């Protein structure tokens, strides 16, 4: 790895919170969210899954702390944008 560059998976533990699609699994490297419509005017049913094998790989990565901080920052920003 070249100094200043990151792995391709850097910052991808969570799915893209701004573009979650109903009726399919929205995947991040570690965490996935599945949204299913229930009935009209009812919020979508949500199911969150964790790939523990990927989590173990991530926690063993030398970039884990920086990557995790970026992932959490992205989720916070996506939450702000989604409610604006």
């Amino acid at each position: 790895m070249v100094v200043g560059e990151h792995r391709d998976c850097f910052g991808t533990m969570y799915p893209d919170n701004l573009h979650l699609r109903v009726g399919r699994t929205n995947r991040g490297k570690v965490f996935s969210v599945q949204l299913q419509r229930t009935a009209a005017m009812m919020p979508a049913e949500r199911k969150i899954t964790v790939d523990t094998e990927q989590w173990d790989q991530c926690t063993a990565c030398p970039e884990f702390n920086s990557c995790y901080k970026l992932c959490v920052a992205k989720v916070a920003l996506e939450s702000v944008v989604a409610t604006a």
Side-chain angles (χ1 to χ4, degrees):
M1 187 178 336
V2 178
V3 175
E5 291 186 18
H6 299 285
R7 296 170 185 243
D8 290 339
C9 58
F10 190 79
T12 63
M13 287 185 210
Y14 299 106
D16 178 353
N17 192 31
L18 295 177
H19 301 99
L20 295 176
R21 299 211 172 135
V22 177
R24 65 173 277 211
T25 301
N26 301 272
R27 297 185 191 285
K29 184 171 191 265
V30 175
F31 302 97
S32 298
V33 177
Q34 188 173 30
L35 302 175
Q36 293 296 330
R37 280 278 171 228
T38 51
M41 304 300 288
M42 297 294 291
E45 197 173 294
R46 295 165 174 85
K47 180 181 177 186
I48 297 172
T49 56
V50 178
D51 184 330
T52 54
E53 185 176 320
Q54 287 296 324
W55 178 253
D56 290 342
Q57 288 179 15
C58 287
T59 57
C61 176
E63 291 192 289
F64 174 75
N65 286 332
S66 179
C67 180
Y68 182 75
K69 288 175 186 177
L70 177 61
C71 290
V72 170
K74 284 173 56 178
V75 167
L77 179 59
E78 289 168 351
S79 295
V80 169
V81 170
T83 59

